[in-house]
Amino acid sequence: MSSDLVIVYHRQPYDEVEVDGKVEYRANKSPNGIVPTLKSFFGKVENAAWVAWKEAEDSSDPGFDRVIRIEDSFGKYTVYRLPLTPDQVKSFYHVTSKEAFWPILHGFKEKYNYDPVDWPTFKEVNWAFAEAAAAEAAPGASVWVHDYNLWLVPGYLRQMRPDVRISFYHHTPFPAADMFNVLPWRGEIIESLLACDVVGFHIPRYASNFVSCVRSLRDVGNVPRIKVDPDLMSEGSALSDRTVPTSIYTEEREVQLGVTPVGVDVDYIRELANTEKTDKLAEKFRSEIGDTRVLLSVGRTDYTKGGADQLIAFERLLERRPDLRGVVRLLHVSVPANRNMTVYEPIQKELEEIAGRINGRFGSFTFQPVALISRAVPFEELVAWYQVADVAWITPLADGMNLVCKEYVAARKDGDGVLVLSEFAGAAVELGAAVLTNPFSTRAMDFAIDLALDMPEEERRARMKLLQASVEKRDTRHWAEDQLALLSPEDFGDTSTPEV
Ligand code: GDG
C-alpha cells in the first residue's frame, strides 16, 4: 500500500531475460507503442507501480515472486505480477477479450463469437487485477486502468478501496449502443465503468457513443456537452463531431469523460530519424528501390486493419493504370498476433494469397510489386522506411487512434511524403490535412491513391507541414500532461471548460 499511481495494464513493462542462469529484468525492447508511453509516467510520479499478468503453470506456486522492483531507463518502479495459468490467459484474453469484445468494439458483429466465452473466468481474472491494484495503492492514490480486457476492474476496485481515484482509458473505439448492447454482459460492464472518476477515450465520438450506451441502460439525466476543440474536428470526416459530453452524474458520483488522443514521441522519432545509422539505412533502401515509388502500409495482422481490402485496391491500381506497372511497389508490413490466437490465422492466409496473386500477375523475375513482411521490423528500420516511402497508406476499417500514421509524419524530416488515411481511424479527426478516404468504398480508395501518387510536390509539402504541426502539438508529452491532470486534478489545476 505505497504507490501514489498504479497503472493496471495487462502487458509487463519489461523484458525478462536469463543471464548465466539468473533472471534479469530489462526495459522493453520496443521503443514505440503504448508501453513506453505509459512508462514515461514513472519519471513524473515518484511512487508508482504497474500491475500486469505473468503466465505461470500454477498460480499458487509459493516460489513465485509477485512483487518485484524494477530500475530501468524510465525510473524505479514496482511491478505487481499476477500469476495467471495458461487456461486463464486463454479464456480471459484470447477468447473473451479478442473473440467477443474486440469485434464488437470495432463494429464487426459477424465476427463476434459468444459460445466459447467463460464469463466466470473473466470475472475472476478481473477481480485478481483489482485485488492487486488495491494492495499496491496508497491511501487516496490514483489507479489508472487500461483497455477493455480489464472492464470489470473499476467496479471491483471501488468495492475494495472507496478512497482511490479510478481512471479508465480505452485504446479502442467505443461503439454506439446498438452495437455495444450485443454484449450480454453490457449491464455489468457499464456499471463497472460508472464506478470510475474518469473514463477516457481518444476522440469525442467515442465519448458520445459511451453516453448512448449508458443511457440505454440507466437514466442519467442531463449530460453536459461542450464544443469540440477545432483541432479535433476534420470537417466532414466520418468520426468528427461538433460537441462532446463532459460528465455523467450518477447518484454516487460525477464520472468525468476525458477525451485525449494518444500521440507519439515526436522528439524520440526525430532523434532516431537523425542518427547516422538510420540515415545509412534510408540511403541503402533508396539505392535498393532505385526509381520505383514506394507505398508503405504497417499494422498488426487483424481484420480491423483492412489489409486485404488495401491489397485488393493495390491490385486494382495496377489493373487501372498500366503506366504504374513496374514503377510502384507496396511494402506491406503485417505483424502477426501472438501464436495462441487462431482467430487471426485466416486473415494472414488471405493476405498471403492476395499478395501472391498480385506478384504472379504483375511481377517478373526481377520485380515483385508487393513485399509482404510478416514479422516485426526493428523500429530504426521502420523509421528509415517512413523516410523513404512516397506514400504511407493507412486504411483501417476501424481503429481507436492509429499511431503508425503519426509516426510516419513525425519521421518526415524532409517535409515531403503523402499520408493516405482512413476516415475510420481515430487519428483522422486530428489529421484533416491527410488524404482522408473511406475504405468501404472502392471508388474512394481508388481516388485517394491516385490523388496521392499524382500530387504535386508543393501540395505534398503544404499538407505535410500541417500534419507535422498537429502531430507535434499532440505528442506523448501533451497526452501525459492531460492524463496527469485527469488522474490528479488537485495537483495539476482545473481542467474544466465552460458549457455550451
Ligand atoms: C491500439 C489500438 C491505438 C507495428 N509494426 C511494427 C511496429 N509496429 C508498432 C507501430 C506502432 C504500434 O506498433 C501500433 O500501434 P497502432 O496504434 O497503430 O495499433 P494497435 O497495436 O492496434 O494499438 C490503436 C493504440 O492502441 C494506442 O492507444 O492507436 O487504435 O488498436 O507504434 O510502430 N513496431 C516495430 N516493428 C514493426 O514491424 N518495431
Side-chain angles (χ1 to χ4, degrees):
M1 263 233 209
S2 58
S3 300
D4 295 324
L5 171 67
V6 181
I7 293 177
V8 188
Y9 185 60
H10 67 276
R11 276 172 60 197
Q12 301 184 97
Y14 54 82
D15 288 328
E16 218 170 305
V17 266
E18 217 179 290
V19 182
D20 298 333
K22 267 184 71 187
V23 175
E24 282 187 16
Y25 307 109
R26 295 191 182 155
N28 280 121
K29 273 201 221 96
S30 173
N32 53 321
I34 203 64
V35 170
T37 303
L38 298 183
K39 282 175 75 173
S40 69
F41 285 79
F42 295 143
K44 300 179 207 311
V45 182
E46 236 167 69
N47 298 317
W50 182 298
V51 178
W53 94 54
K54 160 125 178 79
E55 198 167 302
E57 274 316 312
D58 176 2
S59 60
S60 59
D61 178 359
F64 184 82
D65 223 351
R66 283 181 186 235
V67 182
I68 52 173
R69 286 289 289 168
I70 302 280
E71 189 172 348
D72 63 21
S73 51
F74 290 87
K76 286 186 191 160
Y77 53 96
T78 303
V79 177
Y80 194 108
R81 306 183 306 168
L82 269 183
L84 298 186
T85 63
D87 282 348
Q88 281 175 314
V89 172
K90 184 169 181 233
S91 168
F92 130 87
Y93 191 70
H94 300 151
V95 173
T96 307
S97 302
K98 288 293 175 190
E99 295 195 30
F101 296 165
W102 180 264
I104 293 305
L105 284 163
H106 291 83
F108 286 79
K109 276 185 189 158
E110 72 284 5
K111 302 261 186 208
Y112 167 67
N113 192 4
Y114 169 86
D115 291 339
V117 171
D118 168 15
W119 191 239
T121 298
F122 183 80
K123 289 169 73 164
E124 173 188 294
V125 171
N126 271 242
W127 180 269
F129 269 99
E131 274 187 328
E136 263 312 307
S142 292
V143 179
W144 193 17
V145 187
H146 289 262
D147 252 354
Y148 58 96
N149 47 66
L150 300 176
W151 259 337
L152 299 184
V153 170
Y156 295 148
L157 184 58
R158 184 60 77 198
Q159 293 170 33
M160 297 169 192
R161 292 290 304 275
D163 62 302
V164 296
R165 188 170 167 83
I166 308 174
S167 183
F168 191 100
Y169 193 84
H170 287 96
H171 291 268
T172 60
F174 201 97
D178 45 3
M179 180 61 64
F180 180 79
N181 286 348
V182 167
L183 299 174
W185 320 280
R186 59 195 183 225
E188 276 172 86
I189 297 164
I190 291 293
E191 286 309 312
S192 173
L193 291 172
L194 291 179
C196 293
D197 297 283
V198 182
V199 182
F201 307 91
H202 285 299
I203 62 169
R205 172 67 55 81
Y206 305 155
S208 293
N209 287 346
F210 174 65
V211 171
S212 83
C213 297
V214 173
R215 277 200 195 291
S216 76
L217 297 165
R218 12 147 134 192
D219 185 7
V220 285
N222 178 42
V223 174
R225 300 183 77 93
I226 58 167
K227 278 188 181 157
V228 169
D229 178 344
D231 287 351
L232 292 185
M233 211 169 59
S234 299
E235 199 57 41
S237 75
L239 296 183
S240 280
D241 278 336
R242 287 172 195 283
T243 64
V244 56
T246 54
S247 289
I248 292 176
Y249 294 91
T250 66
E251 273 157 26
E252 298 81 21
R253 69 188 55 79
E254 173 188 354
V255 182
Q256 211 181 329
L257 305 175
V259 174
T260 51
V262 171
V264 295
D265 191 340
V266 175
D267 290 345
Y268 174 73
I269 295 170
R270 292 252 163 90
E271 212 176 282
L272 198 59
N274 280 313
T275 59
E276 211 184 307
K277 193 176 167 201
T278 317
D279 264 344
K280 280 202 173 129
L281 269 175
E283 235 169 76
K284 178 174 161 257
F285 294 156
R286 265 187 215 107
S287 73
E288 280 168 7
I289 57 181
D291 287 337
T292 45
R293 305 182 67 194
V294 173
L295 310 176
L296 176 67
S297 168
V298 180
R300 281 185 300 99
T301 310
D302 189 306
Y303 50 86
T304 62
K305 300 283 180 186
D309 301 84
Q310 189 180 68
L311 283 168
I312 292 169
F314 184 64
E315 186 173 30
R316 278 199 310 276
L317 177 74
L318 298 179
E319 275 164 7
R320 292 186 296 113
R321 295 190 51 177
D323 59 307
L324 292 176
R325 295 180 196 158
V327 173
V328 70
R329 292 188 72 192
L330 172 62
L331 181 60
H332 193 102
V333 181
S334 184
V335 187
N338 179 306
R339 68 192 145 77
N340 295 319
M341 298 216 223
T342 47
V343 65
Y344 296 117
E345 279 166 13
I347 170 80
Q348 174 68 21
K349 223 171 138 219
E350 194 183 5
L351 296 180
E352 285 167 11
E353 271 169 21
I354 307 169
R357 186 175 73 217
I358 299 173
N359 284 338
R361 285 184 67 190
F362 299 102
S364 67
F365 280 121
T366 52
F367 186 83
Q368 300 277 288
V370 180
L372 177 65
I373 315 287
S374 306
R375 62 175 167 83
V377 173
F379 196 55
E380 304 89 70
E381 264 183 51
L382 215 49
V383 170
W385 276 116
Y386 287 152
Q387 290 182 64
V388 168
D390 298 275
V391 178
W393 199 11
I394 314 291
T395 50
L397 304 175
D399 212 338
M401 172 55 40
N402 192 285
L403 298 180
V404 173
C405 61
K406 293 186 172 184
E407 290 167 0
Y408 174 72
V409 168
R412 291 309 299 224
K413 59 180 181 176
D414 63 351
D416 203 349
V418 184
L419 172 64
V420 177
L421 179 62
S422 163
E423 287 186 273
F424 296 93
V429 307
E430 289 170 88
L431 303 180
V435 175
L436 296 184
T437 189
N438 179 346
F440 297 97
S441 154
T442 51
R443 198 176 297 171
M445 284 287 271
D446 293 350
F447 178 78
I449 201 65
D450 285 346
L451 187 69
L453 286 167
D454 300 336
M455 192 178 285
E457 185 179 346
E458 201 183 328
E459 184 180 344
R460 294 201 302 262
R461 289 186 176 279
R463 284 177 182 254
M464 186 52 77
K465 203 166 169 192
L466 293 170
L467 291 172
Q468 291 189 327
S470 306
V471 168
E472 276 163 27
K473 186 168 173 193
R474 293 182 179 274
D475 66 352
T476 35
R477 209 169 308 149
H478 181 280
W479 188 71
E481 276 163 19
D482 276 358
Q483 289 299 331
L484 280 175
L486 288 166
L487 284 164
S488 183
E490 336 45 77
D491 298 340
F492 295 94
D494 181 13
T495 54
S496 60
T497 327
E499 256 184 69
V500 284

